[in-house]
Amino acid sequence: MPRPKIPFRLSTRRSISTALSFALGLFAFAPPADRAQQSEAEVGIIVVKSADQAKQVVADLKAGMDFRVIAKERSVDSTAADGGSMGRLNPDSLRPEFRDALKGLKPGRVTGVIPFRDRFAVLTIFPAPSNPGTPRESNLPAGPPPVRNMIGIDGFNEADDAFQQFPQKPDGWERSPEQICSIRQQSVPHAVTAVEKLLSDAEGPSPNPSAPLEESDALVAIEAHTTLAQLHAYNSEMDKAVKEFQTAYQYAVASSPRSLPFLNEALGVTYLHLAEMENGSYRGSGTIDFFPPIDPHAHFAKQDNAKLAIQYFLRYLEHNPDDREVKWLLNLAYQMLGEYPAGVPAKYLVAEKGYDSRESVGRFKDVAPAEGLNLFLAAGGVVVDDFENNGLLDIIVLSMYACDSPHYLHNNGDGTWSDRTAQAGLSNQLGALQIVAADYNNDGCLDFLLLRGGWEFPMRRSLMRNNCDGTFTDVTQQSGLEDTVTASQTAAWADIDNDGYLDLFVGSEKGRSQLFHNKGDGTFEDISHAAGIDELTFAKGVTAGDYDKDGYVDFFVSVFNGTKHLYHNNHNLTFTDVAKQAGLEDSTYSFSTWFFDYDNDGWPDIFMTGYNINSIDNVLRSYEGQTVPEASRNTLKLFRNLHNGTFQDVTAQVGLDRIFMPMGSNFGDIDNDGFLDIYLGMGNPSFVSLMPHVLLHNKEGKSFVDVTASSGTGEIHKGHGIAFADLERRGQEDIIAEIGGAVPSDRHTLRLFRNPGNDNDWINVKLIGVKSNRSAIGAEIKVTVENDNHGSRSVYRTVGENSSFGGNPLEQHIGLGHGARILSIDTWWPATSTRQHFTDVDKNQFIAIKEFAGDYTKLDRKPLKAAGTGAVAVAK
């Protein structure tokens, strides 16, 4: 009996994996003779949990609401991120009830409610666009276009598809981190079994991938084996992933040569990742994963898999010699053999020249292992602050994998930390991606909020109350913050009505933004709609700041793929979006953001990272000084406050018009000159995205200079939460970088880059609210200083201004420059309009200023001893 064709086509990485969807029941299996010959169309689907929800979806669609918007907001299917699009396919390849519902359906119309399994679906056929534009990225490119998107090798999408379609999810799983962990552990093996059965049924007992097939059959087999490879890669089973990619490669050689470019690169990437894993590149804290190389003589002890990676990259480049992405990966592979640059074929060499630093701020050194920070984590946020009120800075670091808990790192006071996660009561707070800290109940102990679901699907958030005894209690339910679940990794604390209690803005990726008003009794009220901020956006960053200095805090929202929002505070618990009037109607792809006064003129400016999520090609072109097509120029963005309610885009003027792919990022003063510098952590889920992190030095508020190479901070693995903090209490800010990818097989150790120091002066100021919120968030500090007996200048800081993906301490470390003499320190408390003025303040010390107080308090902060002398290893 002849083997039937598997009736589906190749999917895109940005939409659902058709091989996996087929195996889990979305698509139908039938020989060609049993199928009508309809043409392909872009099909959309919205999946909800109840018939009533589905009926409401149909009603809203017939009332004129946009299908893609509703899909993003309500669908529980993994296609929600793509507005419900399943891609272009033959509707006859779908399961029977979907196929029947689509028969005769005109583009733009919607089906009725379709029950299937334990869910309910509504489908549409999207109208063909009048200007199709650039086609979706294929997983099997025939060759690189002028600017191309990277391939995705990581299993992230496939694992999420498996999770979403897992048939045994209990009701209410979204509100239980433990259940989410359990489903994650079961769903990937379930998907592997399903795809393996699919292949067994289709290939028969004795598959021969080297035998010629019709290309359509070969493409289906390649897709299925690629899906299996991705699932194994997700689970750290790199040997199995290689085997599946090799089988797909045999199919391509025999029957689908146009698939070979993708598979050559995929195999090269998989072998390279395997080489890094077996040589401890992710678990260790060595120098081999930096670019430019810190140690040109460093190399892997086990080299066979790196050599195999080179073999496949060279095969790819034989036919695509100008492909920047694969040339870059080839150079990294030679670096891991200790053969960069001499061993790289000249025509493929990526020279260090484009990565050189024009100046030096000293060499930073990773001291994380010496200080006991031996954590091995997936992607996550980080916050540094004094959670125990003992004058020492503790660290909380997250890992987004569903079964990973946060790690609470207690500062031992001797230059080391110990892991007290269990003692702190945090072991069951699984799968959080981001953390934002503040004293929401004004009891003098710092609390924090955990956010989940970023890039994935809605989950509960957790508000953790500090019990002031080294432990935390989950008070989400009783606080009123558990009423809705969101896919979010961004939130900001701010006192929106100056009542002395901190309110909370939460951005959402698949829903509407939310604003919670603090009622002052430990509970919050959702005022999102009444406040006018509940717009449906893909929010990736939220930051709070009083941009017009009217005494009321405003919010800026960085939207991943759409127009940004600047919510002006109307002083009555409502907000007006004034982004267009303010000159902030930017629609480029963006991620993290913050308010900060980069030029020390006393007015908060706005920084926003451009995010080229899928193009190493663009990033490399930017390093080379090459032209990047305008449509894909997602550069960093800096908007200077013009003091009149509007902003000027000064990105190019200050030298920030460069293309990167930053995720975590933050700002601090690396050389104590009083001007705030920037550190960017790079990457995306794919193992392909190995790009150096970037340290940008602020030159007196006039320009930013790349000092990555000279500072030794160019880690190439995935960077997420970033924090600047004076951990050793010696007057210099170090950089804490949470390193790790979105999948378990891409975990990495934490980095702690110790500041080399210099002879500039500083002051550390801790503000304590009395009638204002206890954290002093929103309070302003102005330090007037004279340097080397020259004229005076002022340095400005606002408490609580922070990155949307990384948390600095609320105490303010303020660089003063060389030969400083403090002339005065002024504070302003917006909630009470209180102003304080202090003179005769010594430099290079820690002080506290309480609201209304007539004098400051000198704090006893002793420098901690150097790392490496009695460090205690934390639990892994």
Side-chain angles (χ1 to χ4, degrees):
M1 180 176 178
R3 180 166 55 89
K5 294 179 181 179
I6 301 175
F8 56 78
R9 296 183 182 271
L10 297 174
S11 65
T12 69
R13 291 304 313 279
R14 290 293 299 153
S15 65
I16 198 164
S17 165
T18 23
L20 186 56
S21 297
F22 171 85
L24 297 180
L26 221 59
F27 287 78
F29 181 89
D34 296 338
R35 292 186 283 121
Q37 297 300 311
Q38 287 193 27
S39 59
E40 289 189 347
E42 185 182 7
V43 177
I45 187 170
I46 296 172
V47 179
V48 292
K49 294 182 177 180
S50 72
D52 288 342
Q53 290 174 329
K55 290 175 183 177
Q56 187 61 52
V57 166
V58 172
D60 290 342
L61 290 169
K62 289 183 176 179
M65 291 189 68
D66 185 86
F67 191 97
R68 296 183 192 270
V69 170
I70 292 182
K72 287 184 178 180
E73 184 178 19
R74 305 183 203 172
S75 181
V76 298
D77 189 68
S78 57
T79 56
D82 280 338
S85 176
M86 301 171 73
R88 292 190 62 81
L89 51 86
N90 186 332
D92 286 326
S93 67
L94 296 170
R95 54 189 296 143
E97 57 266 57
F98 292 175
R99 180 175 66 228
D100 293 344
L102 289 171
K103 282 182 180 177
L105 189 72
K106 295 181 179 179
R109 301 289 179 88
V110 298
T111 67
V113 176
I114 309 168
F116 79 104
R117 298 204 324 257
D118 60 344
R119 296 290 186 263
F120 299 84
V122 179
L123 278 75
T124 190
I125 296 176
F126 290 117
S130 56
N131 179 13
T134 304
R136 288 173 177 263
E137 174 199 2
S138 171
N139 221 12
L140 305 176
V147 172
R148 76 167 176 97
N149 289 339
M150 75 170 69
I151 64 171
I153 306 297
D154 51 73
F156 181 74
N157 286 359
E158 287 76 10
D160 270 4
D161 291 340
F163 186 102
Q164 291 281 41
Q165 298 177 41
F166 186 65
Q168 300 171 33
K169 293 198 292 289
D171 289 339
W173 61 266
E174 306 95 332
R175 299 181 186 277
S176 170
E178 292 91 344
Q179 287 188 1
I180 293 171
C181 167
S182 177
I183 296 166
R184 180 67 83 186
Q185 289 175 323
Q186 297 177 70
S187 59
V188 171
H190 175 78
V192 168
T193 300
V195 179
E196 287 177 340
K197 185 178 186 304
L198 161 71
L199 284 167
S200 176
D201 292 343
E203 293 177 325
S206 302
N208 182 10
S210 298
L213 298 172
E214 290 186 21
E215 187 178 23
S216 58
D217 282 340
L219 289 175
V220 166
I222 290 167
E223 175 74 16
H225 283 285
T226 294
T227 299
L228 262 186
Q230 298 276 19
L231 290 168
H232 287 312
Y234 175 89
N235 262 352
S236 304
E237 300 166 332
M238 301 308 296
D239 289 325
K240 292 181 179 180
V242 165
K243 180 180 177 182
E244 296 301 331
F245 276 131
Q246 288 285 12
T247 302
Y249 190 86
Q250 293 177 59
Y251 275 113
V253 170
S255 309
S256 180
R258 70 189 181 97
S259 304
L260 287 173
F262 164 75
L263 290 167
N264 275 317
E265 184 178 359
L267 276 162
V269 170
T270 307
Y271 275 121
L272 186 63
H273 195 77
L274 178 56
E276 291 185 285
M277 291 177 71
E278 69 181 3
N279 283 279
S281 181
Y282 297 100
R283 284 191 176 274
S285 183
T287 59
I288 202 165
D289 46 356
F290 284 78
F291 195 91
I294 291 176
D295 180 0
H297 303 294
H299 62 274
F300 284 162
K302 300 176 182 178
Q303 299 194 349
D304 288 350
N305 285 315
K307 290 178 179 178
L308 285 167
I310 287 173
Q311 175 182 317
Y312 282 100
F313 292 147
L314 289 174
R315 286 183 188 178
Y316 180 100
L317 291 167
E318 285 177 12
H319 303 283
N320 303 280
D322 297 323
D323 188 291
R324 288 177 174 84
E325 177 173 304
V326 177
K327 283 197 293 186
W328 170 255
L329 295 170
L330 178 72
N331 279 255
L332 293 181
Y334 274 108
Q335 178 179 323
M336 292 168 188
L337 295 179
E339 298 177 10
Y340 174 89
V344 184
K347 59 184 175 181
Y348 301 140
L349 178 64
V350 175
E352 293 183 50
K353 183 178 179 181
Y355 301 84
D356 289 344
S357 299
R358 299 199 307 270
E359 65 174 46
S360 175
V361 293
R363 196 79 164 178
F364 285 69
K365 180 183 178 182
D366 178 23
V367 297
E371 298 202 357
L373 300 176
N374 302 325
L375 298 174
F376 188 59
L377 307 169
V382 64
V383 66
V384 179
D385 220 310
D386 181 2
F387 288 93
E388 301 173 22
N389 287 335
N390 60 5
L392 301 172
L393 295 177
D394 310 297
I395 303 172
I396 301 178
V397 61
L398 310 182
S399 181
M400 72 175 284
Y401 177 60
C403 299
D404 288 351
S405 71
H407 287 268
Y408 180 79
L409 305 176
H410 163 78
N411 191 323
N412 296 327
D414 61 358
T416 69
W417 280 260
S418 56
D419 192 332
R420 292 192 180 175
T421 303
Q423 298 94 313
L426 300 177
S427 297
N428 64 345
Q429 292 297 328
L430 308 176
L433 179 57
Q434 173 60 332
I435 179 171
V436 284
D439 182 1
Y440 80 92
N441 58 357
N442 288 342
D443 66 353
C445 301
L446 202 59
D447 318 294
F448 59 86
L449 178 77
L450 296 174
L451 296 161
R452 299 180 175 90
W455 298 117
E456 296 187 289
F457 35 81
M459 306 180 199
R460 85 186 296 264
R461 59 183 73 96
S462 294
L463 178 62
M464 305 303 298
R465 186 189 67 211
N466 191 331
N467 300 319
C468 303
D469 61 0
T471 68
F472 297 84
T473 298
D474 187 338
V475 295
T476 316
Q477 185 173 14
Q478 52 264 50
S479 71
L481 294 181
E482 198 181 40
D483 291 344
T484 57
V485 294
T486 53
S488 177
Q489 64 177 50
T490 187
W493 295 100
D495 184 357
I496 61 174
D497 54 351
N498 288 334
D499 66 351
Y501 288 94
L502 290 171
D503 311 297
L504 179 66
F505 190 116
V506 179
S508 177
E509 296 177 4
K510 296 181 180 178
R512 301 181 185 277
S513 296
Q514 295 176 292
L515 182 61
F516 296 94
H517 183 235
N518 191 330
K519 297 165 68 175
D521 59 0
T523 67
F524 293 82
E525 178 186 7
D526 187 343
I527 61 169
S528 310
H529 183 69
I533 61 89
D534 59 335
E535 297 186 56
L536 184 65
T537 58
F538 199 99
K540 293 304 296 180
V542 174
T543 184
D546 182 6
Y547 78 93
D548 56 354
K549 298 184 77 66
D550 64 353
Y552 284 80
V553 70
D554 314 293
F555 294 102
F556 178 74
V557 181
S558 168
V559 178
F560 175 59
N561 56 353
T563 303
K564 318 313 174 197
H565 304 288
L566 178 64
Y567 291 111
H568 176 258
N569 192 326
N570 299 323
H571 308 179
N572 59 1
L573 297 181
T574 71
F575 293 78
T576 302
D577 188 353
V578 296
K580 183 176 181 179
Q581 302 93 300
L584 297 172
E585 203 175 31
D586 182 273
S587 59
T588 56
Y589 282 76
S590 62
F591 200 153
S592 55
T593 186
W594 59 69
F595 280 103
F596 76 149
D597 186 358
Y598 83 94
D599 55 357
N600 277 326
D601 67 352
W603 291 75
D605 311 296
I606 296 174
F607 175 81
M608 180 175 67
T609 62
Y611 192 46
N612 279 264
I613 185 172
N614 254 352
S615 184
I616 281 182
D617 185 87
N618 279 346
V619 177
L620 294 172
R621 284 173 184 251
S622 183
Y623 270 109
E624 296 168 5
Q626 300 295 317
T627 300
V628 177
E630 191 62 35
S632 59
R633 278 189 55 80
N634 297 304
T635 70
L636 306 175
K637 289 289 185 179
L638 180 61
F639 299 97
R640 182 175 180 269
N641 194 321
L642 298 181
H643 312 175
N644 60 3
T646 68
F647 292 80
Q648 176 189 6
D649 185 343
V650 295
T651 307
Q653 179 180 321
V654 300
L656 291 179
D657 55 336
R658 298 177 58 188
I659 296 174
F660 301 112
M661 51 173 63
M663 295 180 293
S665 59
N666 217 324
F667 60 90
D669 189 351
I670 58 174
D671 59 348
N672 282 338
D673 66 351
F675 291 92
L676 293 167
D677 313 298
I678 296 170
Y679 188 63
L680 307 173
M682 302 296 172
N684 80 358
S686 178
F687 299 156
V688 176
S689 61
L690 301 172
M691 297 301 302
H693 301 185
V694 174
L695 184 59
L696 301 167
H697 182 224
N698 186 339
K699 300 285 289 183
E700 298 181 344
K702 299 173 184 175
S703 66
F704 287 82
V705 176
D706 188 338
V707 294
T708 307
S710 62
S711 64
T713 55
E715 160 76 60
I716 63 172
H717 291 129
K718 316 300 167 55
H720 284 84
I722 306 294
F724 286 74
D726 179 9
L727 292 172
E728 288 88 18
R729 297 317 208 184
R730 58 195 178 91
Q732 306 286 340
E733 286 196 296
D734 306 308
I735 301 174
I736 303 91
E738 201 279 352
I739 312 293
V743 300
S745 56
D746 209 9
R747 287 188 173 101
H748 198 286
T749 53
L750 194 73
R751 295 283 191 188
L752 170 52
F753 293 110
R754 166 162 288 169
N755 194 316
N758 59 35
D759 59 357
N760 284 345
D761 297 310
W762 53 275
I763 186 80
N764 187 297
V765 182
K766 179 179 181 179
L767 296 188
I768 303 169
V770 177
K771 189 172 181 181
S772 298
N773 72 84
R774 185 70 176 265
S775 296
I777 288 176
E780 299 179 4
I781 303 170
K782 173 185 174 183
V783 181
T784 303
V785 63
E786 181 183 80
N787 293 108
D788 294 321
N789 299 316
H790 298 313
S792 66
R793 65 181 179 115
S794 295
V795 181
Y796 297 87
R797 297 289 185 269
T798 300
V799 179
E801 285 186 352
N802 222 327
S803 168
S804 62
F805 206 160
N808 297 342
L810 292 174
E811 64 179 36
Q812 297 298 297
H813 176 91
I814 304 172
L816 304 176
H818 188 269
R821 182 171 70 91
I822 297 175
L823 302 178
S824 63
I825 296 180
D826 293 274
T827 66
W828 179 56
W829 302 78
T832 59
S833 294
T834 300
R835 296 185 183 274
Q836 295 162 292
H837 179 76
F838 305 96
T839 57
D840 299 321
V841 181
D842 291 335
K843 62 187 179 182
N844 300 336
Q845 65 169 330
F846 296 80
I847 66 172
I849 298 175
K850 184 175 286 191
E851 186 180 16
F852 306 125
D855 203 354
Y856 66 89
T857 302
K858 184 174 181 178
L859 300 175
D860 184 19
R861 302 284 188 263
K862 297 291 191 295
L864 306 184
K865 68 179 181 179
T869 53
V872 178
V874 298
K876 295 182 180 180

